[in-house]
C-alpha cells in the first residue's frame, strides 16, 4: 500500500533526521507541554503523543511565542539540529510559529505541571494530553493488539457477541435494563392512562425486556459450537453500586472459548500463553510508554506512604517480567490445598477460612499470590456451591490437580500479585441432562435458556473458556492503581461524564 | 512463542499431510455436515470451520456410524490417503468413530441441506454451523483485523470510547436509555409512594440520565485532541423502529479521527485507503471464505428473481475488485453537481430533486453510484441545513471540490453500488465562537456540551473524521443482502433473541 498519512508525526520527523541528518526545513504540529522564556530565547516543548519526549523547540525571537502557553496547539517550522546536552538528542531551531489554538493559563484546567489524578479524573476530556495518560492510551492499544495478535496466530476467530441480551440468568440484579424512550414512558405512565394498551403490559422495544450483557460467555459458547476457537474483546456492564478502585460499571473483557478440550490444564496453558503473548507484544511495541508509566509509578511510590504493596501496585518491571514469556511458570493449586495454606498461615483473617466451602476473599487471594506463591497463581476446583451453573464437575474432567475435597467444579481463577483476580474460567458442562440438573440445583429456571440447552442437545462437544478483565490486566502492567485511570472514559456508580 | 493450541484443526491435519504424506493415524474433531450410507461403506463429511470443505471420512464398517447424522459432533481416527476423484484431494480412512454429541434428525433444526435464511434467523444460536455463516464469521473477523492492520500501520491508536453516555445531542429520540433495576423501579413507581424521595426525581444510577451511544464521534474528538490519529471499532445503538434489511438496533462502527488536516481531500484519501487496505487484507486472509459466500450468492441469484441489481447485492467479485487496491479511484462529486446530474437524469423520482437543499434519498444515492458513476462515489459539501452542528463550513476548508452552491459544509458521504451510504465524515468546526453559533443555529443548547466546547477552548486544532458502518461494508463484500445476516446475533425492532 502506497498510502501515507499526510501529516508527519513528531516521531517520524525526528526519526527521519536521525536516519539522515539534513538542514531542510520541517514542520511539526502538537500541543505545548512547557514554555521556558529567557531574554534572548524561548524553549518550547511540544508533543503530539507520537513519542514520549516530544520535541524541544528553540525560538530565538521570543516575540514569536506570545500567547503560547501550556496546552496551546502550534505549528512550528524550522530546521532540526543535534543538540548539545539536555535530555534531547535533537532540537528544532524555529523560524516560524503558528498558534493554532491558545489555552488561557487562567482557565486551562491542566496548566500546572503536576496534577493529582483526582483532578485529572474531573477533566477526562483533556487528561489524555498528559504524558501519563498518553502513555496509558498507547499501552492500552498495544495490549488489545497483543491479545488479537496472540489469538489470531493461534487460529482463533474474533467474534462480536451481542451487547443487548434478553438473557439475565447470570446478572441476578446487576444487569442494566435498556429501554427506548417510548418504553420508558410506558413504564412511568400508569397503564390506565395509556391509550391502546389493552394487555396493560409496559411496551418493550424488543418485545421482551432487554439488558446490557454482564458476560459474553453464553453467546460465545453458541459460536464455539461451530467454530472451535473463538474470542471476543467486548464491553461488559454491571449495575454494581461500587465505589472501589477496582470496579467499573462499564469495562472490557477478553473472553475466549475453545472446543474439544477436556483437561483443565489445557485451559490454564491457554490462559497463561495468551497473557504472555500479549505482554511480550506490549513490551515490544510500547517500551517507551511503559517507561513513562514506570517513571510515574516510581515518583508516586517515593512521594506517598501507600497502604501496603498491593495498594501501591506491583512495580511495572516486575509485573512485565512475571507476565511475559521470560517469567516463571504460573503456580497451580487447588482450592482445597489453598484453603489449607490459608488455615496454616497463622494470619488473622477478616473473613474466616474455618470451613471447607467458604469463598476466597480479596485478603486470601492477595496472601496467596503476594506472600505465599510470590507470583501469579491459578486456583482450581472450587466448591460447586460458590460457582455458576454451567461449570463441569471436577470428577468429569481430565488432568491431575491434587486434592479436590468435596463437590468441586473444573474451574480456575488466576490471581496476580498487586491486583488479585484477573481471570476466571472453567470447563463447561456439555451434557444436556447434567446441565439441566445443575440449573435446577441452583434454583434457576430453564425458561430463556432453551437456546443454550440446544447447544447440548445437538452435537454437543466438551469445551472450556475464560474471561480476563482487561482493565485489571492494564492495572498490572501500567502500575496505575485505580481502575478509573486505565480506561479513557470511566463509568462507575454515580459517574457517567459526557 | 512456543505455545500451540493442543487440538489440531482439520485444516492443520490436512495441511500437514499435504506437506508430507504419511500413513500415521490422525484424529479429527468436528460436526457432521452430511452422511451418505452405502452397503459396504459410509461417507461422512465433517467440518470444524477451519477450512471450507472439511474432511471426507470413509468408514468401511457402516455399523460404526450408528446415530451419526447431520449436526452430530464426532471424533474420528484413522489414516489420511490421497483420494481418487471427487471434490477432495484427501480423505480419511476411519478405523475408530466416537460420537461426542448426537443430533436427533427429527429435532435438529438444521437437519435439512438447504435452509432458507429466514429459518436460520430463527435459529441464530446454531446457524454458525452452516457453511455460509461459518464463512461470514471468518470474513467478519478478517475485515475487523484488516481495519486494525491498516490503522496500526498508519500509527493510529485504537481507543475505547464509552458505550454509556450522558450525551444525547445527536440521538434526538433515537437513543436507548439505560437504567439500573432500582432506577427502573423508581420510574415506574409514582413519586409519592417512594420512601425517602424528597426531591421527587427518579433515581438515576449515574446521578444523571444515561444513554447508549449513537456515535463515538464526540468522545473520539476528545481523544483526538491529544492523540492526532485515533480510531475505534465499537458497538453503536439506535432505537429506530426499523424493519428494513439495512438497519439494526445494535451495530458496529469504525470511526476514525485525524488532527491537523485542513482539506477534505485528505479525509477522502484516508477513507479510501482504509477501505482498500482492509479489503486487500480480507482478500488475502479469507479467500476461501469469500469463495463460499460468492457461491452462495451465485446460487441465490440464479434461483430467485431479485428486485433489481441493488436488492440482490453487488456480485462479490465486483465488490472486492472495486474496494481493493486494484480498483479505480473513487469518484468525487459535490452535492451541488450531483443534484444537477439527478435533475438532468430524466428519471422520475419518488422524492423530488427540484430544489437545492433537498436531502439525497436512497433512490438518488443508488442512481449516482450504480448507474451514473458505476462505482464508489464520494459526495461532498452538502447543505448545512441537512447536516449536524459540528461540521466545518466548506468555505473554511481547503481543497478545490467544484461548485458548492449555497451554504455548505465540508462533509462527505461515500456511496457504494448495491449498498448505498457506507461512510459519512467531515472536517469539524474547531473554532469555539463559530461552533457555539452553529449549535445555537440548530436550536440546540450548550448545556451538556461544555466539555466538547473545551476542546475548542484549549489548544484546538483543525481535524476531521468519519464513521463507516461495518455491517454495510460486510454486506458489500459478502454479497449477503440482509444486514441481519452479517452479524452473529442481530438485534432490531421487536427482536432480541437470547
Amino acid at each position: 500500500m502506497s498510502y501515507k498519512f499526510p501529516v508527519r508525526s513528531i516521531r517520524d520527523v525526528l526519526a527521519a533526521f536521525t536516519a539522515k541528518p539534513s538542514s531542510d526545513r520541517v514542520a511539526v504540529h502538537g500541543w505545548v507541554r512547557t514554555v521556558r522564556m529567557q531574554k534572548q530565547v524561548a524553549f518550547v516543548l511540544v508533543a503530539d503523543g507520537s513519542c514520549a519526549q516530544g520535541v524541544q523547540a528553540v525560538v530565538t525571537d521570543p516575540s514569536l511565542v506570545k500567547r503560547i502557553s501550556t496546552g496551546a496547539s502550534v505549528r512550528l517550522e524550522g530546521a532540526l539540529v543535534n543538540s548539545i546536552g539536555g535530555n534531547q538528542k535533537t532540537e528544532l531551531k524555529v523560524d516560524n510559529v503558528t498558534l493554532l489554538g491558545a489555552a488561557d493559563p487562567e482557565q486551562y484546567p491542566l496548566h500546572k505541571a503536576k496534577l493529582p489524578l483526582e483532578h485529572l479524573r474531573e477533566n477526562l476530556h483533556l487528561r489524555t494530553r498528559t504524558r501519563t495518560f498518553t502513555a496509558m492510551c498507547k499501552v492500552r492499544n498495544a495490549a488489545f493488539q497483543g491479545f488479537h495478535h496472540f489469538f489470531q496466530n493461534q487460529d482463533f476467530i474474533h467474534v462480536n457477541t451481542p451487547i443487548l441480551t434478553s438473557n439475565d440468568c447470570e446478572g441476578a440484579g446487576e444487569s442494566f435494563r435498556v429501554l427506548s424512550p417510548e418504553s420508558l414512558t410506558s413504564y412511568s405512565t400508569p397503564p390506565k392512562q395509556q391509550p391502546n394498551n389493552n394487555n396493560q403490559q409496559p411496551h418493550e422495544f424488543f418485545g421482551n425486556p432487554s439488558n446490557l450483557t454482564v458476560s459474553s460467555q453464553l453467546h460465545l459458547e453458541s459460536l464455539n459450537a461451530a467454530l472451535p476457537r473463538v474470542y471476543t474483546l467486548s464491553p461488559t456492564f454491571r449495575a454494581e453500586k461500587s465505589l472501589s478502585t477496582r470496579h467499573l460499571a462499564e469495562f472490557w473483557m477478553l473472553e475466549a472459548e475453545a472446543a474439544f478440550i477436556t483437561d483443565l490444564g489445557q485451559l490454564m496453558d491457554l490462559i497463561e500463553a495468551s497473557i504472555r503473548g500479549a505482554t511480550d507484544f506490549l513490551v515490544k511495541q510500547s517500551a517507551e510508554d511503559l517507561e513513562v508509566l514506570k517513571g510515574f509509578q516510581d515518583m508516586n511510590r517515593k512521594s506517598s506512604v501507600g497502604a501496603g504493596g498491593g495498594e501501591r501496585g506491583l512495580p511495572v518491571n516486575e509485573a512485565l517480567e512475571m507476565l511475559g514469556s521470560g517469567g516463571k511458570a504460573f503456580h497451580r493449586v487447588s482450592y482445597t490445598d489453598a484453603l489449607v495454606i490459608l488455615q496454616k498461615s497463622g494470619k488473622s483473617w477478616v473473613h474466616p477460612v474455618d470451613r471447607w466451602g467458604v469463598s476466597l476473599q480479596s485478603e486470601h487471594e492477595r496472601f496467596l499470590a503476594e506472600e505465599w506463591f510470590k507470583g501469579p497463581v491459578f486456583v482450581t476446583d472450587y466448591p460447586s456451591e460458590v460457582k455458576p451453573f454451567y461449570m463441569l464437575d471436577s470428577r468429569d474432567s481430565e488432568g491431575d490437580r491434587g486434592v479436590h475435597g468435596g463437590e468441586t467444579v473444573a474451574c480456575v481463577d488466576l490471581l496476580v500479585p498487586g491486583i488479585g483476580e484477573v481471570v476466571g474460567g472453567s470447563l463447561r458442562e456439555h451434557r444436556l441432562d447434567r446441565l439441566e440438573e445443575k440449573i435446577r440445583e441452583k434454583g434457576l429456571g430453564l425458561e430463556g435458556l432453551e437456546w443454550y440447552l440446544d447447544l447440548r442437545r445437538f452435537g454437543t462437544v466438551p469445551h472450556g473458556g475464560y474471561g480476563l478483565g482487561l482493565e485489571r490486566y492494564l492495572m498490572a502492567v501500567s502500575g496505575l492503581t485505580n481502575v478509573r485511570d486505565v480506561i479513557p472514559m470511566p463509568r462507575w456508580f454515580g459517574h457517567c461524564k459526557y
Side-chain angles (χ1 to χ4, degrees), chain A residues 31-196:
Chain A
W31 290 270
V32 172
R33 284 249 164 88
T34 56
V35 183
R36 279 187 299 128
M37 294 290 274
Q38 297 185 353
K39 267 184 194 165
Q40 304 297 327
V41 64
F43 297 96
V44 185
L45 186 62
V46 176
D48 66 351
S50 64
C51 52
Q53 288 298 332
V55 65
Q56 174 91 303
V58 184
V59 188
T60 46
D61 176 359
S63 74
L64 285 176
V65 300
K66 260 189 305 179
R67 294 182 63 217
I68 286 180
S69 57
T70 299
S73 49
V74 292
R75 176 187 164 91
L76 303 178
E77 289 162 280
L80 289 169
V81 293
N82 290 313
S83 68
I84 306 140
N87 291 327
Q88 318 259 341
K89 278 194 228 159
T90 313
E91 58 189 30
L92 182 69
K93 287 223 171 293
V94 174
D95 57 40
N96 196 21
V97 175
T98 312
L99 175 65
L100 298 173
D104 181 350
E106 300 293 315
Q107 288 188 52
Y108 183 49
L110 273 56
H111 181 68
K112 282 190 191 161
K114 288 191 183 172
L115 295 160
L117 289 169
E118 292 74 15
H119 177 79
L120 293 173
R121 265 174 238 136
E122 291 298 309
N123 290 282
L124 295 177
H125 59 310
L126 295 168
R127 74 173 177 174
T128 309
R129 294 236 185 116
T130 63
R131 265 166 64 95
T132 304
F133 285 96
T134 292
M136 183 280 285
C137 277
K138 292 172 77 183
V139 162
R140 192 178 164 100
N141 171 57
F144 271 62
Q145 295 310 311
F147 281 109
H148 278 306
H149 196 253
F150 171 83
F151 283 108
Q152 296 285 328
N153 278 345
Q154 296 292 333
D155 291 331
F156 279 64
I157 307 292
H158 180 242
V159 291
N160 294 126
T161 47
I163 311 303
L164 301 176
T165 171
S166 53
N167 189 42
D168 186 29
C169 63
E170 261 213 287
E174 289 185 358
S175 297
F176 285 105
R177 283 276 273 115
V178 173
L179 294 103
S180 68
E182 195 182 337
S183 309
L184 186 56
T185 305
S186 89
Y187 267 92
S188 54
T189 311
K192 286 175 195 166
Q193 294 175 25
Q194 290 176 46
N196 311 320

Side-chain angles (χ1 to χ4, degrees), chain A residues 335-336 339 343 354-358 382-383 385 404-408:
Chain A
Y335 163 88
T336 303
L339 200 69
Q343 286 166 341
D354 50 358
R355 181 179 67 81
W356 190 93
V358 296
Y382 283 71
E385 63 186 86
H404 290 188
E407 290 285 321
T408 63

Side-chain angles (χ1 to χ4, degrees), chain A residues 288-303:
Chain A
E288 194 185 55
D289 305 301
L290 291 166
E291 278 303 309
V292 171
L293 293 171
K294 185 178 171 305
F296 183 76
Q297 186 187 48
D298 288 346
M299 191 183 72
N300 283 344
R301 288 167 82 92
K302 272 179 208 146
S303 66

